[in-house]
Amino acid sequence: MAGKKPAKRSASTTVIPKEDYGKPTLYVGLTPDANHVCLECGNKTKRAIIREYKGVLLCGKHCVIKVKRKEIKTETV
């Protein structure tokens, strides 16, 4: 039994690299007053999957995108 052949792809189609939105991390506040506060938008979460981007914990993809835009803006100045 032979395996299936891989699908044919056009040579003109380029592969777009995936964006790095940080590493997903599960955050669980163990005490009633332990909340994660996002540094970008100020959102408070008690238990959620947050993203770690360059050592900073952010609440979601949209905050990682905001940080990336700020980095690009400061590089061009």
Side-chain angles (χ1 to χ4, degrees), residues 56-74:
V56 179
L57 296 176
L58 301 165
C59 66
K61 279 186 179 180
H62 58 279
C63 286
V64 174
I65 293 170
K66 286 181 187 177
V67 170
K68 283 185 171 185
R69 284 184 187 156
K70 284 183 181 179
E71 289 175 356
I72 292 170
K73 194 179 281 187
T74 56

Side-chain angles (χ1 to χ4, degrees), residues 11-74:
S12 64
T13 306
T14 58
V15 177
I16 300 170
K18 292 188 177 182
E19 287 279 334
D20 178 30
Y21 291 117
K23 180 179 146 189
T25 308
L26 178 63
Y27 178 83
V28 179
L30 297 177
T31 60
D33 58 341
N35 291 329
H36 170 261
V37 180
C38 180
L39 299 174
E40 191 62 34
C41 65
N43 189 14
K44 294 181 181 180
T45 54
K46 186 172 212 61
R47 191 177 109 196
I49 295 177
I50 57 176
R51 301 211 170 248
E52 181 180 0
Y53 180 71
K54 292 188 176 180
V56 179
L57 296 176
L58 301 165
C59 66
K61 279 186 179 180
H62 58 279
C63 286
V64 174
I65 293 170
K66 286 181 187 177
V67 170
K68 283 185 171 185
R69 284 184 187 156
K70 284 183 181 179
E71 289 175 356
I72 292 170
K73 194 179 281 187
T74 56

